Amino acid sequence: MTATNNGDWLATNDPSRRSWVESANAPDTDFSIQNLPFGVFSDAANPTPRVGVAIGDAIVDLSVLAREGLLQQDASLFEQPSLNAFIATGRAQWRALRVRLSGLLEANSAALRDNTALRKRVLIMQKEAQLHLPVHIPGYTDFYSSREHATNVGSMFRDPKSALLPNWLEIPIGYNGRASSVVVSGTPVYRPNGQIKLPDSERPIFGACRKLDIELEMGFVIGKKSTLGDAIPCEDAEAHIFGMVLLNDWSARDIQQWEYVPLGPFNSKGFATTISPWIVTIDALEPFRCARPEQSPQPLPYLRHAGDHTFDIKLEVDLCAAGADEVQTISRTNFRYMYWTMAQQLAHHTSGGCNVRVGDLMGSGTISGPTPDSCGSLLESTWNGQRPLQLPSGQTRTFIQDGDELVLRGWCQGDGYRVGFGACAGKVLPARETA
Ligand code: MN
C-alpha cells in the first residue's frame, strides 16, 4: 500500500471538482463527487449483496472495480454483505480508496469514462438496486444530547423551571439500545403492542401503541475497535469513527411513559430503529466542520477537547400522510445544535472501560433546534398531542397514524454542491393482532 499524502486527499473535497457521471454535478444531488458514501446493494442482474459507493443517481460496484484491478484492495473485501471487513482495514485504507475513486470518477479521468463495456458493469442505477443495511451492528447505543429536546421533554413531563435534571449538563446521557431491530430505510415498521397505563385505570392494558412517534437523529458508525478496560480519550475519539448516517429512533410514547422508571426505555424503543443506507465518511464531512454550542459548566477534564468537533448538517422531516398525495415538511433543524459532540459521547461511553467494536452504532439523541418548527419529534411539535399539526390535505396529526410514511433527509450545503445522506424512510403498518 502506497502512502496517501495529505494533498491527495484534500483534493477530494475541492468544491470545483466535477464528475463525468453527469447526475453527480446537479447542485441538489446528495451524491456529488465530493461525497462518495459507502453502502451495500444488490440488483436483479446480481442478487448477491456487495459493497458500493453512491455517485449521482448511480452506484459504483467496488467488487467489479477491484476484480478488474482498478483498486488496490482485494475484491474479497467488497464481495461482502456488510462494510465491516473493509472498515476494519483502517483509516489509511478508507482515505486511499476515497482518493482513488475520486480520481477515477473525476471529469477528465478516461480510464473508466471511456471504457463503455466496463462502465456498464461498474455503474448500477440506484433506482434498479436494492439497498441493504450497510453494516453488521454488534451494538447500538442511543444518547440524549440535544439541550433543546431534553428541555422540551423535561418541561412537558416534569417542571419547566427544572426541566434539565442536574446530571444533564455533566454527562452525555445515553442508554444501551437494541442492535437486532436496526433496519435500513424503506423497511416497513409495525406499530408496536405493549403495556399502556391509561390515566383513568388502576392497571395497564396490553395493546397497540396510541402515541407512535419519530426521533430525528443522526448515528455514527465505529470504525476502529477499542480494548476492554481502555478508555478512548476525547481528543482521539474521532479517529474511531468511520462515518455518519441518518437515524429514526421510532418511539412509543405511551409505552415509554409507563415503563421508563427506573431503568429507562425498553420496549418503547426496541421494536425498530431505521437508518439511511449510505454511510458518509468523516473525510467527506470535513469541509463542514463547525463549533458546538458553548458548554457551561466546563465539562470534566475527560470530556474536554480543543478545536471544532461537530458538523453543519441541515436536517428535515417529511410526512407523507396516509390517504394524502402531498408531502409536508414538518421539521427543519441542524446537527450543529447538539450540545454534546460525538467525541464526547464516545469518550464518556468508554470512560469506565466499556469497549467498542467495528460497526457499533451510536445515536445522537433527538435533534431539536431553538424554534418551534425545528422539533425532532412529534411529542415536542404537538406538545404531547395538545397542538395538532395541520396538514395541507385538511387532515391533522398528533402522533403517527397507520399508513403514514416518515422520511428524514440531511445534507451539508457546499458552494454549488451537496454532501447528502439520502433518505431515511419508513412506513407504519397496523399493529399485529394481540392474543
Ligand atoms: Mn432516541
Side-chain angles (χ1 to χ4, degrees):
M1 171 59 51
T2 51
T4 304
N5 75 45
N6 218 24
D8 279 346
W9 96 261
L10 286 176
T12 66
N13 291 335
D14 182 347
S16 66
R17 189 164 277 212
R18 291 291 176 267
S19 175
W20 51 261
V21 180
E22 274 303 324
S23 58
N25 302 325
D28 61 350
T29 181
D30 279 336
F31 307 120
S32 60
I33 193 170
Q34 288 81 8
N35 191 348
L36 305 176
F38 290 88
V40 169
F41 75 101
S42 60
D43 64 342
N46 179 2
T48 305
R50 55 212 190 267
V51 172
V53 161
I55 180 83
D57 54 14
I59 299 170
V60 182
D61 187 334
L62 297 190
S63 70
V64 174
L65 271 188
R67 277 201 301 277
E68 293 295 327
L70 285 167
L71 303 179
Q72 292 166 315
Q73 290 82 3
D74 194 88
S76 62
L77 272 183
F78 306 120
E79 293 163 342
Q80 300 269 345
S82 79
L83 280 158
N84 296 59
F86 169 64
I87 294 174
T89 62
R91 179 168 299 267
Q93 290 279 332
W94 314 336
R95 194 166 273 181
L97 180 57
R98 176 175 172 81
V99 170
R100 177 64 179 150
L101 289 172
S102 184
L104 279 172
L105 295 167
E106 194 268 325
N108 297 316
S109 171
L112 192 53
R113 184 192 65 193
D114 296 347
N115 185 337
T116 312
L118 180 58
R119 207 178 63 212
K120 277 178 76 171
R121 291 171 51 222
V122 166
L123 284 187
I124 285 95
M125 296 304 289
Q126 283 176 33
K127 64 175 189 290
E128 283 160 19
Q130 185 185 348
L131 292 162
H132 302 272
L133 201 61
V135 274
H136 166 68
I137 302 170
Y140 162 50
T141 300
D142 194 30
F143 287 91
Y144 187 63
S145 290
S146 157
R147 183 173 190 159
E148 290 82 1
H149 172 69
T151 302
N152 287 337
V153 173
S155 302
M156 221 177 295
F157 291 116
R158 287 184 298 272
D159 168 15
K161 288 198 265 327
S162 54
L164 283 184
L165 290 170
N167 59 8
W168 199 91
L169 292 169
E170 299 286 0
I171 298 176
I173 300 286
Y175 65 95
N176 288 300
R178 189 70 200 161
S180 66
S181 54
V182 178
V183 296
V184 73
S185 176
T187 307
V189 172
Y190 286 97
R191 178 179 300 273
N193 291 306
Q195 280 202 21
I196 300 163
K197 172 74 168 62
L198 300 171
D200 52 357
S201 53
E202 197 180 322
R203 294 192 57 199
I205 58 166
F206 184 84
C209 166
R210 300 166 188 200
K211 290 188 172 180
L212 184 58
D213 199 357
I214 56 159
E215 288 192 343
L216 165 59
E217 303 194 17
M218 298 205 66
F220 66 89
V221 175
I222 295 295
K224 181 181 169 189
K225 68 179 181 181
S226 66
T227 305
L228 184 66
D230 285 355
I232 299 175
C234 205
E235 293 285 0
D236 297 344
E238 265 179 32
H240 287 261
I241 301 175
F242 176 66
M244 296 180 72
V245 292
L246 297 166
L247 185 152
N248 183 353
D249 178 25
W250 300 92
S251 297
R253 300 299 180 196
D254 41 5
I255 299 171
Q256 183 177 359
Q257 197 169 4
W258 170 236
E259 75 176 1
Y260 88 105
V261 179
L263 284 185
F266 191 58
N267 285 345
S268 57
K269 303 279 192 172
F271 62 96
T273 303
T274 304
I275 63 170
S276 52
W278 297 108
I279 305 178
V280 177
T281 62
I282 298 295
D283 278 350
L285 294 171
E286 201 56 53
F288 308 97
R289 191 176 280 280
C290 65
R292 56 154 170 72
E294 190 66 26
Q295 292 180 332
S296 176
Q298 186 183 34
L300 294 177
Y302 81 99
L303 292 172
R304 290 180 200 162
H305 47 24
D308 294 339
H309 291 277
T310 193
F311 299 96
D312 182 352
I313 304 171
K314 297 173 195 305
L315 298 167
E316 282 185 5
V317 179
D318 288 345
L319 167 65
C320 183
D325 280 339
E326 70 261 272
V327 175
Q328 160 114 338
T329 301
I330 58 172
S331 178
R332 289 187 174 86
T333 183
N334 196 300
F335 182 71
R336 69 187 300 172
Y337 296 138
M338 298 303 280
Y339 188 86
W340 296 106
T341 65
M342 296 184 284
Q344 289 174 319
Q345 290 171 334
L346 193 49
H348 180 68
H349 201 327
T350 59
S351 60
C354 174
N355 53 322
V356 293
R357 293 174 284 190
V358 167
D360 277 350
L361 177 67
M362 308 284 166
S364 60
T366 310
I367 304 162
S368 292
T371 57
D373 66 344
S374 61
C375 293
S377 68
L378 289 167
L379 176 73
E380 293 162 89
S381 52
T382 72
W383 210 254
N384 198 18
Q386 291 173 38
R387 303 174 197 154
L389 297 178
Q390 296 292 329
L391 305 184
S393 61
Q395 300 188 60
T396 59
R397 280 294 179 282
T398 51
F399 292 94
I400 300 169
Q401 293 189 7
D402 292 344
D404 287 352
E405 185 179 33
L406 279 298
V407 185
L408 316 185
R409 297 180 193 285
W411 70 95
C412 303
Q413 186 62 57
D415 183 8
Y417 73 99
R418 283 181 175 185
V419 170
F421 289 81
C424 176
K427 189 171 187 172
V428 172
L429 302 181
R432 306 292 183 101
E433 292 292 321
T434 60

